[in-house]
Coordinates of all heavy atoms in Angstrom, one line a residue:
M115 N 8.8 -11.8 -21.9 CA 8.7 -12.8 -20.8 C 10.1 -13.1 -20.3 O 11.0 -13.3 -21.1 CB 8.0 -14.1 -21.4 CG 6.7 -13.9 -22.0 SD 5.4 -14.7 -21.1 CE 5.6 -16.4 -21.6
K116 N 10.2 -13.2 -19.0 CA 11.4 -13.5 -18.3 C 11.4 -14.8 -17.6 O 10.3 -15.3 -17.3 CB 11.8 -12.4 -17.4 CG 11.9 -11.0 -18.1 CD 12.4 -10.0 -17.2 CE 12.5 -8.7 -18.0 NZ 13.1 -7.6 -17.4
K117 N 12.6 -15.4 -17.4 CA 12.7 -16.7 -16.7 C 12.7 -16.5 -15.2 O 13.4 -15.6 -14.7 CB 14.0 -17.4 -17.1 CG 13.9 -17.9 -18.5 CD 15.2 -18.7 -18.8 CE 15.1 -19.3 -20.2 NZ 14.3 -20.5 -20.3
Y118 N 12.0 -17.3 -14.5 CA 11.9 -17.3 -13.0 C 12.0 -18.8 -12.5 O 11.7 -19.7 -13.3 CB 10.6 -16.7 -12.6 CG 10.5 -15.2 -12.8 CD1 9.9 -14.7 -14.0 CD2 10.9 -14.3 -11.8 CE1 9.8 -13.4 -14.2 CE2 10.8 -13.0 -12.1 CZ 10.2 -12.5 -13.2 OH 10.1 -11.2 -13.5
E119 N 12.4 -18.9 -11.3 CA 12.3 -20.1 -10.5 C 11.4 -20.0 -9.3 O 11.4 -18.9 -8.7 CB 13.7 -20.5 -10.0 CG 14.6 -21.2 -11.0 CD 15.9 -21.6 -10.4 OE1 16.3 -21.1 -9.3 OE2 16.6 -22.4 -11.0
I120 N 10.7 -21.0 -9.0 CA 10.0 -21.0 -7.8 C 10.4 -22.3 -7.0 O 10.4 -23.4 -7.6 CB 8.4 -21.0 -8.0 CG1 7.7 -21.0 -6.7 CG2 8.0 -22.1 -8.9 CD1 6.2 -20.8 -6.8
M121 N 10.7 -22.1 -5.7 CA 10.9 -23.2 -4.8 C 9.8 -23.1 -3.8 O 9.6 -22.1 -3.2 CB 12.3 -23.0 -4.1 CG 12.5 -24.0 -3.0 SD 12.9 -25.7 -3.4 CE 14.5 -25.5 -4.0
Y122 N 9.1 -24.2 -3.7 CA 8.0 -24.2 -2.7 C 8.0 -25.5 -1.9 O 8.6 -26.5 -2.3 CB 6.6 -24.0 -3.3 CG 6.2 -25.0 -4.4 CD1 5.4 -26.0 -4.1 CD2 6.6 -24.8 -5.7 CE1 4.9 -26.9 -5.1 CE2 6.2 -25.6 -6.7 CZ 5.4 -26.7 -6.4 OH 4.9 -27.5 -7.4
I123 N 7.5 -25.4 -0.7 CA 7.5 -26.5 0.3 C 6.1 -27.0 0.5 O 5.3 -26.2 0.9 CB 8.2 -26.1 1.6 CG1 9.6 -25.5 1.3 CG2 8.3 -27.3 2.5 CD1 10.2 -24.9 2.5
I124 N 5.9 -28.2 0.3 CA 4.5 -28.8 0.5 C 4.5 -29.4 1.9 O 5.5 -30.0 2.4 CB 4.3 -29.9 -0.5 CG1 4.3 -29.4 -1.9 CG2 2.9 -30.6 -0.2 CD1 4.1 -30.4 -3.0
N125 N 3.3 -29.2 2.6 CA 3.1 -29.7 3.9 C 3.5 -31.2 4.0 O 3.0 -32.0 3.2 CB 1.6 -29.5 4.3 CG 1.3 -29.7 5.7 OD1 1.9 -30.5 6.4 ND2 0.3 -29.0 6.2
P126 N 4.3 -31.6 5.0 CA 4.7 -33.0 5.1 C 3.6 -34.0 5.4 O 3.8 -35.2 5.2 CB 5.8 -33.0 6.1 CG 5.4 -31.8 7.0 CD 4.8 -30.8 6.1
T127 N 2.5 -33.5 5.9 CA 1.4 -34.5 6.3 C 0.6 -35.0 5.0 O -0.2 -35.9 5.1 CB 0.4 -33.8 7.2 OG1 -0.1 -32.6 6.6 CG2 1.1 -33.4 8.5
I128 N 0.9 -34.3 3.9 CA 0.2 -34.7 2.6 C 0.9 -36.0 2.1 O 2.1 -36.0 1.9 CB 0.2 -33.6 1.6 CG1 -0.6 -32.4 2.2 CG2 -0.4 -34.0 0.3 CD1 -0.6 -31.2 1.4
L129 N 0.2 -37.0 1.7 CA 0.7 -38.2 1.2 C 1.2 -38.1 -0.2 O 0.9 -37.1 -0.9 CB -0.3 -39.4 1.4 CG -0.7 -39.6 2.8 CD1 -1.8 -40.7 2.8 CD2 0.4 -40.1 3.7
E130 N 1.8 -39.1 -0.8 CA 2.4 -39.1 -2.1 C 1.4 -38.7 -3.2 O 1.7 -37.9 -4.1 CB 3.0 -40.4 -2.4 CG 3.8 -40.5 -3.7 CD 5.1 -39.6 -3.7 OE1 5.7 -39.5 -2.7 OE2 5.4 -39.0 -4.8
E131 N 0.2 -39.3 -3.1 CA -0.8 -39.0 -4.1 C -1.3 -37.6 -4.1 O -1.5 -36.9 -5.1 CB -2.1 -39.9 -4.0 CG -1.8 -41.4 -3.8 CD -1.5 -41.8 -2.4 OE1 -2.0 -41.3 -1.5 OE2 -0.6 -42.7 -2.3
G132 N -1.4 -37.0 -2.9 CA -1.7 -35.7 -2.7 C -0.7 -34.7 -3.1 O -1.0 -33.6 -3.6
R133 N 0.6 -35.1 -3.0 CA 1.7 -34.2 -3.5 C 1.6 -33.9 -5.0 O 1.8 -32.8 -5.4 CB 3.0 -34.8 -3.1 CG 3.3 -34.8 -1.6 CD 4.7 -35.4 -1.4 NE 4.8 -35.6 0.0 CZ 5.5 -36.6 0.6 NH1 6.1 -37.5 -0.2 NH2 5.6 -36.7 1.9
D134 N 1.3 -35.0 -5.7 CA 1.2 -34.8 -7.2 C 0.0 -33.8 -7.5 O 0.1 -33.0 -8.4 CB 0.9 -36.1 -7.8 CG 2.1 -37.1 -7.8 OD1 3.3 -36.5 -7.6 OD2 2.0 -38.3 -7.9
A135 N -1.1 -33.9 -6.7 CA -2.2 -33.0 -6.9 C -1.8 -31.6 -6.6 O -2.2 -30.6 -7.3 CB -3.4 -33.4 -6.0
V136 N -1.0 -31.4 -5.5 CA -0.5 -30.0 -5.2 C 0.4 -29.5 -6.3 O 0.3 -28.3 -6.6 CB 0.2 -30.0 -3.8 CG1 0.8 -28.7 -3.5 CG2 -0.8 -30.4 -2.7
V137 N 1.3 -30.3 -6.8 CA 2.2 -29.9 -7.9 C 1.3 -29.5 -9.1 O 1.6 -28.4 -9.7 CB 3.2 -31.0 -8.3 CG1 3.9 -30.6 -9.6 CG2 4.1 -31.2 -7.2
E138 N 0.3 -30.2 -9.4 CA -0.6 -29.9 -10.5 C -1.4 -28.6 -10.2 O -1.6 -27.7 -11.1 CB -1.7 -31.0 -10.7 CG -1.1 -32.3 -11.3 CD -0.6 -32.1 -12.7 OE1 -1.2 -31.4 -13.5 OE2 0.4 -32.7 -13.0
K139 N -1.7 -28.4 -9.0 CA -2.4 -27.1 -8.6 C -1.6 -25.9 -8.7 O -2.0 -24.9 -9.3 CB -2.9 -27.3 -7.1 CG -3.7 -26.1 -6.6 CD -4.2 -26.4 -5.2 CE -5.2 -25.4 -4.7 NZ -5.7 -25.7 -3.3
V140 N -0.3 -26.0 -8.3 CA 0.6 -24.9 -8.4 C 0.9 -24.6 -9.9 O 1.0 -23.5 -10.4 CB 1.9 -25.1 -7.6 CG1 3.0 -24.1 -7.9 CG2 1.6 -25.2 -6.1
T141 N 1.1 -25.7 -10.7 CA 1.3 -25.5 -12.1 C 0.1 -24.9 -12.8 O 0.3 -24.0 -13.7 CB 1.6 -26.9 -12.8 OG1 2.7 -27.5 -12.1 CG2 1.9 -26.8 -14.2
G142 N -1.1 -25.2 -12.3 CA -2.3 -24.6 -12.8 C -2.3 -23.1 -12.5 O -2.8 -22.3 -13.3
I143 N -1.9 -22.8 -11.3 CA -1.9 -21.3 -10.9 C -0.9 -20.6 -11.8 O -1.2 -19.5 -12.3 CB -1.5 -21.2 -9.4 CG1 -2.6 -21.7 -8.5 CG2 -1.1 -19.8 -9.1 CD1 -2.2 -21.8 -7.0
L144 N 0.2 -21.2 -12.1 CA 1.2 -20.5 -12.9 C 0.7 -20.4 -14.4 O 0.8 -19.3 -15.0 CB 2.5 -21.3 -12.9 CG 3.3 -21.3 -11.6 CD1 4.5 -22.3 -11.7 CD2 3.9 -19.9 -11.4
T145 N 0.1 -21.4 -14.9 CA -0.3 -21.3 -16.3 C -1.6 -20.4 -16.4 O -1.7 -19.8 -17.5 CB -0.7 -22.7 -16.9 OG1 -1.6 -23.4 -16.0 CG2 0.6 -23.6 -17.0
A146 N -2.4 -20.3 -15.4 CA -3.5 -19.4 -15.4 C -3.1 -18.0 -15.5 O -3.8 -17.1 -16.0 CB -4.4 -19.7 -14.2
A147 N -1.9 -17.7 -15.0 CA -1.3 -16.3 -15.0 C -0.6 -16.1 -16.3 O 0.0 -15.0 -16.4 CB -0.5 -16.1 -13.8
G148 N -0.5 -17.1 -17.2 CA 0.2 -16.9 -18.5 C 1.6 -17.4 -18.5 O 2.3 -17.1 -19.4
A149 N 2.0 -18.2 -17.5 CA 3.3 -18.7 -17.5 C 3.4 -20.0 -18.3 O 2.4 -20.7 -18.5 CB 3.7 -19.0 -16.1
T150 N 4.6 -20.3 -18.8 CA 4.9 -21.6 -19.4 C 5.9 -22.3 -18.5 O 7.1 -21.8 -18.4 CB 5.4 -21.4 -20.9 OG1 6.6 -20.6 -20.8 CG2 4.4 -20.8 -21.8
V151 N 5.6 -23.4 -18.0 CA 6.5 -24.1 -17.0 C 7.4 -24.9 -17.9 O 7.0 -25.8 -18.6 CB 5.6 -25.0 -16.1 CG1 6.6 -25.7 -15.1 CG2 4.7 -24.1 -15.3
A152 N 8.7 -24.7 -17.7 CA 9.7 -25.4 -18.4 C 10.0 -26.8 -17.8 O 10.1 -27.8 -18.5 CB 11.0 -24.6 -18.5
K153 N 10.2 -26.8 -16.5 CA 10.5 -28.1 -15.8 C 10.1 -28.0 -14.4 O 10.0 -26.9 -13.8 CB 11.9 -28.5 -16.0 CG 12.9 -27.6 -15.3 CD 14.3 -28.2 -15.4 CE 15.3 -27.2 -14.7 NZ 16.6 -27.8 -14.7
S154 N 9.9 -29.1 -13.8 CA 9.5 -29.2 -12.3 C 10.3 -30.4 -11.7 O 10.1 -31.5 -12.2 CB 8.0 -29.4 -12.2 OG 7.6 -29.4 -10.8
E155 N 11.0 -30.1 -10.7 CA 11.9 -31.2 -10.1 C 11.4 -31.4 -8.6 O 11.2 -30.5 -7.9 CB 13.3 -30.7 -10.0 CG 14.0 -30.5 -11.3 CD 15.4 -30.0 -11.2 OE1 16.0 -30.3 -10.1 OE2 15.9 -29.3 -12.1
K156 N 11.2 -32.7 -8.3 CA 10.9 -33.0 -6.9 C 12.2 -33.3 -6.2 O 13.0 -34.2 -6.6 CB 10.0 -34.3 -6.9 CG 8.7 -34.1 -7.5 CD 7.8 -35.3 -7.4 CE 6.5 -35.1 -8.1 NZ 5.7 -36.3 -8.1
W157 N 12.5 -32.5 -5.1 CA 13.7 -32.7 -4.4 C 13.5 -33.6 -3.2 O 14.4 -34.0 -2.6 CB 14.2 -31.3 -3.9 CG 14.9 -30.5 -4.9 CD1 14.8 -30.6 -6.3 CD2 15.7 -29.4 -4.7 NE1 15.6 -29.7 -6.9 CE2 16.2 -28.9 -5.9 CE3 16.2 -28.8 -3.5 CZ2 17.0 -27.9 -6.1 CZ3 17.1 -27.7 -3.7 CH2 17.5 -27.3 -4.9
G158 N 12.3 -33.9 -2.9 CA 12.0 -34.9 -1.8 C 11.8 -34.2 -0.4 O 11.8 -32.9 -0.3
E159 N 11.6 -35.0 0.6 CA 11.4 -34.5 1.9 C 12.7 -34.2 2.6 O 13.6 -35.0 2.6 CB 10.6 -35.5 2.7 CG 10.0 -34.9 4.0 CD 8.9 -35.7 4.6 OE1 8.3 -36.5 3.9 OE2 8.7 -35.6 5.8
R160 N 12.8 -33.0 3.1 CA 14.0 -32.5 3.8 C 13.7 -31.8 5.1 O 12.6 -31.3 5.3 CB 14.8 -31.5 2.9 CG 15.2 -32.2 1.6 CD 15.9 -31.2 0.7 NE 16.3 -31.9 -0.5 CZ 17.5 -31.7 -1.1 NH1 18.4 -30.9 -0.5 NH2 17.8 -32.4 -2.2
K161 N 14.7 -31.7 5.9 CA 14.5 -31.0 7.2 C 14.5 -29.5 6.9 O 15.3 -29.0 6.1 CB 15.7 -31.3 8.1 CG 15.5 -30.8 9.5 CD 16.7 -31.2 10.3 CE 16.6 -30.5 11.7 NZ 17.8 -30.6 12.5
L162 N 13.6 -28.8 7.6 CA 13.5 -27.3 7.5 C 14.5 -26.7 8.4 O 14.9 -27.2 9.4 CB 12.1 -26.9 7.9 CG 10.9 -27.4 7.1 CD1 9.6 -27.0 7.7 CD2 11.0 -26.9 5.7
A163 N 15.0 -25.5 8.0 CA 15.9 -24.7 8.8 C 15.3 -24.3 10.2 O 16.0 -24.3 11.2 CB 16.4 -23.5 8.1
Y164 N 14.0 -24.1 10.2 CA 13.3 -23.7 11.4 C 11.9 -24.3 11.3 O 11.4 -24.4 10.2 CB 13.3 -22.2 11.6 CG 12.8 -21.4 10.5 CD1 11.4 -21.1 10.4 CD2 13.6 -21.0 9.5 CE1 10.9 -20.4 9.3 CE2 13.1 -20.3 8.4 CZ 11.8 -20.0 8.3 OH 11.3 -19.3 7.3
P165 N 11.3 -24.6 12.4 CA 9.9 -25.1 12.3 C 8.9 -24.1 11.7 O 9.0 -22.9 12.0 CB 9.5 -25.4 13.8 CG 10.8 -25.5 14.5 CD 11.8 -24.6 13.8
I166 N 8.0 -24.6 10.9 CA 6.9 -23.8 10.3 C 5.6 -24.5 10.7 O 5.4 -25.6 10.3 CB 7.1 -23.7 8.8 CG1 8.4 -23.0 8.4 CG2 5.9 -22.9 8.2 CD1 8.7 -23.1 6.9
D167 N 4.8 -23.8 11.4 CA 3.5 -24.4 11.9 C 3.8 -25.7 12.6 O 3.1 -26.7 12.4 CB 2.5 -24.6 10.7 CG 2.1 -23.3 10.1 OD1 2.1 -22.3 10.8 OD2 1.7 -23.3 8.9
K168 N 4.8 -25.7 13.4 CA 5.2 -26.9 14.3 C 5.6 -28.1 13.5 O 5.6 -29.2 13.9 CB 4.1 -27.2 15.2 CG 3.7 -26.1 16.2 CD 2.7 -26.6 17.2 CE 2.3 -25.4 18.1 NZ 1.2 -25.7 19.0
K169 N 6.0 -27.9 12.2 CA 6.5 -29.0 11.3 C 8.0 -28.8 11.1 O 8.4 -27.7 10.9 CB 5.7 -29.0 10.0 CG 4.2 -29.3 10.2 CD 3.5 -29.2 9.0 CE 2.0 -29.5 9.2 NZ 1.3 -28.8 10.2
K170 N 8.7 -29.9 11.2 CA 10.2 -29.8 11.1 C 10.7 -30.3 9.7 O 11.9 -30.1 9.4 CB 10.8 -30.7 12.2 CG 10.5 -30.1 13.6 CD 11.2 -30.9 14.7 CE 10.8 -30.2 16.0 NZ 11.4 -30.9 17.1
T171 N 9.8 -30.9 8.9 CA 10.2 -31.3 7.6 C 9.2 -30.8 6.5 O 8.1 -30.3 6.9 CB 10.3 -32.8 7.4 OG1 9.0 -33.4 7.7 CG2 11.3 -33.4 8.4
G172 N 9.6 -30.8 5.3 CA 8.7 -30.4 4.2 C 9.2 -31.1 2.9 O 10.3 -31.5 2.8
F173 N 8.3 -31.2 1.9 CA 8.6 -31.8 0.6 C 8.8 -30.6 -0.3 O 8.0 -29.8 -0.6 CB 7.4 -32.6 0.1 CG 7.7 -33.5 -1.0 CD1 8.3 -34.7 -0.7 CD2 7.5 -33.2 -2.3 CE1 8.6 -35.6 -1.8 CE2 7.8 -34.0 -3.3 CZ 8.4 -35.2 -3.1
Y174 N 10.1 -30.6 -0.9 CA 10.6 -29.5 -1.7 C 10.3 -29.7 -3.2 O 10.6 -30.8 -3.7 CB 12.1 -29.3 -1.5 CG 12.4 -28.6 -0.2 CD1 12.2 -29.2 1.0 CD2 12.9 -27.3 -0.2 CE1 12.6 -28.6 2.2 CE2 13.3 -26.7 1.0 CZ 13.1 -27.3 2.2 OH 13.4 -26.7 3.3
I175 N 9.9 -28.7 -3.9 CA 9.7 -28.7 -5.3 C 10.3 -27.5 -5.9 O 10.2 -26.4 -5.4 CB 8.2 -28.7 -5.7 CG1 7.4 -29.8 -5.0 CG2 8.0 -28.8 -7.2 CD1 7.6 -31.2 -5.6
L176 N 11.1 -27.7 -7.0 CA 11.7 -26.6 -7.7 C 11.2 -26.6 -9.2 O 11.2 -27.6 -9.8 CB 13.2 -26.7 -7.8 CG 14.0 -25.7 -8.6 CD1 13.9 -24.3 -7.9 CD2 15.4 -26.1 -8.8
A177 N 10.6 -25.4 -9.6 CA 10.1 -25.3 -10.9 C 10.7 -24.1 -11.6 O 10.9 -23.1 -11.0 CB 8.6 -25.2 -10.9
T178 N 10.9 -24.2 -12.9 CA 11.4 -23.1 -13.8 C 10.3 -22.8 -14.7 O 9.7 -23.6 -15.3 CB 12.6 -23.6 -14.5 OG1 13.6 -24.2 -13.6 CG2 13.3 -22.4 -15.2
F179 N 10.1 -21.4 -14.9 CA 9.0 -21.0 -15.8 C 9.3 -19.6 -16.4 O 10.1 -18.9 -15.9 CB 7.7 -21.0 -15.0 CG 7.6 -20.1 -13.9 CD1 7.0 -18.8 -14.0 CD2 8.1 -20.4 -12.6 CE1 7.0 -17.9 -12.9 CE2 8.1 -19.6 -11.5 CZ 7.5 -18.3 -11.7
D180 N 8.6 -19.3 -17.5 CA 8.6 -18.0 -18.1 C 7.3 -17.3 -17.9 O 6.3 -17.9 -18.1 CB 8.9 -18.2 -19.6 CG 10.2 -18.8 -20.0 OD1 11.2 -18.5 -19.3 OD2 10.2 -19.6 -21.0
I181 N 7.4 -16.0 -17.5 CA 6.2 -15.3 -17.3 C 6.4 -13.8 -17.4 O 7.6 -13.4 -17.2 CB 5.6 -15.6 -15.9 CG1 4.2 -15.1 -15.7 CG2 6.5 -15.0 -14.8 CD1 3.5 -15.5 -14.4
D182 N 5.4 -13.0 -17.7 CA 5.5 -11.6 -17.7 C 5.6 -11.1 -16.2 O 4.7 -11.6 -15.4 CB 4.3 -11.0 -18.4 CG 4.3 -9.5 -18.5 OD1 5.4 -8.9 -18.4 OD2 3.3 -8.9 -18.6
G183 N 6.5 -10.3 -15.9 CA 6.8 -9.9 -14.5 C 5.6 -9.3 -13.8 O 5.4 -9.3 -12.6
T184 N 4.7 -8.6 -14.6 CA 3.5 -8.0 -14.0 C 2.5 -9.0 -13.5 O 1.6 -8.6 -12.7 CB 2.8 -7.1 -15.0 OG1 2.4 -7.9 -16.2 CG2 3.8 -6.0 -15.5
Q185 N 2.6 -10.2 -13.9 CA 1.6 -11.3 -13.4 C 2.1 -12.0 -12.1 O 1.3 -12.8 -11.6 CB 1.5 -12.3 -14.5 CG 0.9 -11.8 -15.8 CD -0.5 -11.2 -15.6 OE1 -1.3 -11.8 -14.8 NE2 -0.8 -10.1 -16.1
L186 N 3.3 -11.7 -11.6 CA 3.8 -12.3 -10.4 C 3.0 -12.0 -9.2 O 2.8 -12.9 -8.4 CB 5.3 -12.0 -10.2 CG 6.3 -12.7 -11.1 CD1 7.7 -12.2 -10.8 CD2 6.2 -14.2 -11.0
S187 N 2.4 -10.8 -9.1 CA 1.6 -10.5 -7.9 C 0.4 -11.4 -7.9 O -0.1 -11.8 -6.8 CB 1.3 -9.0 -7.9 OG 0.6 -8.7 -9.0
A188 N -0.2 -11.7 -9.0 CA -1.4 -12.6 -9.0 C -1.0 -14.0 -8.6 O -1.8 -14.6 -7.9 CB -2.0 -12.6 -10.4
V189 N 0.1 -14.5 -9.1 CA 0.6 -15.8 -8.7 C 0.8 -15.9 -7.2 O 0.4 -16.8 -6.5 CB 1.9 -16.2 -9.5 CG1 2.5 -17.4 -8.9 CG2 1.6 -16.3 -10.9
E190 N 1.5 -14.8 -6.6 CA 1.8 -14.8 -5.2 C 0.6 -14.7 -4.4 O 0.5 -15.4 -3.3 CB 2.8 -13.7 -4.9 CG 4.2 -13.9 -5.4 CD 5.1 -12.7 -5.2 OE1 4.6 -11.6 -4.8 OE2 6.3 -12.9 -5.3
G191 N -0.4 -14.0 -4.8 CA -1.7 -13.9 -4.1 C -2.4 -15.2 -4.0 O -2.9 -15.5 -2.9
K192 N -2.4 -16.0 -5.1 CA -3.0 -17.3 -5.0 C -2.2 -18.3 -4.2 O -2.7 -19.2 -3.5 CB -3.2 -17.8 -6.4 CG -4.3 -17.0 -7.1 CD -4.6 -17.6 -8.5 CE -5.7 -16.7 -9.1 NZ -6.0 -17.1 -10.5
L193 N -0.8 -18.2 -4.3 CA 0.0 -19.1 -3.5 C -0.1 -18.9 -2.0 O 0.0 -19.8 -1.2 CB 1.4 -19.0 -3.9 CG 1.8 -19.7 -5.2 CD1 3.2 -19.4 -5.6 CD2 1.6 -21.2 -5.2
N194 N -0.4 -17.6 -1.6 CA -0.5 -17.2 -0.2 C -1.8 -17.9 0.4 O -1.8 -18.1 1.6 CB -0.6 -15.7 0.0 CG 0.8 -15.1 -0.2 OD1 1.8 -15.7 0.0 ND2 0.8 -13.8 -0.6
I195 N -2.8 -18.2 -0.4 CA -4.0 -18.8 0.2 C -4.1 -20.3 -0.1 O -5.1 -20.9 0.2 CB -5.3 -18.0 -0.3 CG1 -5.4 -18.1 -1.8 CG2 -5.3 -16.6 0.2 CD1 -6.7 -17.6 -2.4
T196 N -3.0 -20.8 -0.7 CA -3.0 -22.3 -0.9 C -2.5 -22.9 0.4 O -1.3 -22.8 0.7 CB -2.1 -22.6 -2.1 OG1 -2.5 -21.9 -3.2 CG2 -2.1 -24.1 -2.4
E197 N -3.3 -23.7 1.1 CA -3.0 -24.2 2.4 C -1.9 -25.3 2.3 O -1.2 -25.5 3.3 CB -4.2 -24.8 3.0 CG -5.3 -23.7 3.4 CD -6.5 -24.3 4.0 OE1 -6.5 -25.5 4.3 OE2 -7.4 -23.6 4.2
E198 N -1.8 -26.0 1.2 CA -0.9 -27.1 1.1 C 0.6 -26.6 1.0 O 1.5 -27.4 1.3 CB -1.2 -28.0 -0.1 CG -2.6 -28.7 -0.1 CD -3.6 -27.8 -0.8 OE1 -3.3 -26.7 -1.2 OE2 -4.8 -28.3 -0.9
V199 N 0.8 -25.4 0.5 CA 2.1 -24.9 0.3 C 2.4 -24.0 1.6 O 1.7 -23.0 1.9 CB 2.2 -23.9 -0.9 CG1 3.5 -23.3 -1.0 CG2 1.9 -24.8 -2.2
I200 N 3.4 -24.5 2.3 CA 3.7 -23.8 3.6 C 4.7 -22.7 3.4 O 4.7 -21.8 4.3 CB 4.2 -24.8 4.7 CG1 5.4 -25.6 4.3 CG2 3.0 -25.7 5.1 CD1 5.9 -26.5 5.4
K201 N 5.5 -22.7 2.4 CA 6.5 -21.6 2.1 C 6.8 -21.7 0.6 O 6.9 -22.7 0.0 CB 7.7 -21.9 3.0 CG 8.5 -20.7 3.3 CD 7.8 -19.8 4.2 CE 8.8 -19.0 5.0 NZ 8.2 -17.9 5.7
Y202 N 7.2 -20.5 0.1 CA 7.6 -20.5 -1.3 C 8.5 -19.3 -1.5 O 8.5 -18.3 -0.7 CB 6.4 -20.4 -2.3 CG 5.7 -19.1 -2.3 CD1 6.1 -18.1 -3.2 CD2 4.6 -18.9 -1.4 CE1 5.4 -16.9 -3.1 CE2 4.0 -17.7 -1.4 CZ 4.3 -16.7 -2.3 OH 3.7 -15.5 -2.2
I203 N 9.3 -19.3 -2.6 CA 10.1 -18.1 -3.0 C 10.2 -18.2 -4.5 O 10.4 -19.2 -5.1 CB 11.5 -18.1 -2.3 CG1 12.2 -16.8 -2.6 CG2 12.3 -19.3 -2.7 CD1 13.4 -16.6 -1.8
I204 N 10.1 -17.0 -5.1 CA 10.2 -16.8 -6.5 C 11.4 -16.0 -6.8 O 11.5 -14.9 -6.2 CB 8.9 -16.2 -7.2 CG1 7.7 -17.1 -6.9 CG2 9.1 -16.0 -8.7 CD1 6.4 -16.5 -7.4
V205 N 12.3 -16.5 -7.7 CA 13.6 -15.8 -8.0 C 13.7 -15.6 -9.5 O 13.4 -16.5 -10.2 CB 14.8 -16.5 -7.4 CG1 16.1 -15.8 -7.7 CG2 14.6 -16.8 -5.9
K206 N 14.1 -14.4 -9.9 CA 14.4 -14.2 -11.3 C 15.7 -14.8 -11.7 O 16.7 -14.6 -11.0 CB 14.4 -12.7 -11.6 CG 14.6 -12.3 -13.0 CD 14.5 -10.8 -13.2 CE 15.0 -10.4 -14.5 NZ 15.1 -8.9 -14.6
Q207 N 15.8 -15.5 -12.9 CA 17.0 -16.0 -13.4 C 17.7 -15.0 -14.3 O 17.0 -14.2 -14.9 CB 16.8 -17.3 -14.1 CG 16.4 -18.5 -13.3 CD 16.2 -19.7 -14.1 OE1 15.8 -19.7 -15.3 NE2 16.6 -20.9 -13.5
D208 N 19.0 -15.1 -14.4 CA 19.7 -14.3 -15.3 C 19.8 -14.9 -16.7 O 19.9 -16.0 -16.9 CB 21.2 -14.0 -14.8 CG 21.1 -13.1 -13.6 OD1 20.2 -12.3 -13.5 OD2 22.1 -13.2 -12.8

């Protein structure tokens, strides 16, 4: 199992209660693929570098987790169809 980070942006139209549900949903996607989430940090609402779906801000979350690299494609497939997450990136840690 290797360490990875995921940074994802939640749609800014989702309210505070809904954001917690989206974080739980993404954590559930990771754990269903066999990952163990070490920590999850809320960075807050920030301005995007460029508009995504006509939105200029987004709520940023950074999470660190351990997973077998072969399971990443399953995680990405589920994140691609999650409407609340407008953008994400997964990076391997050294």
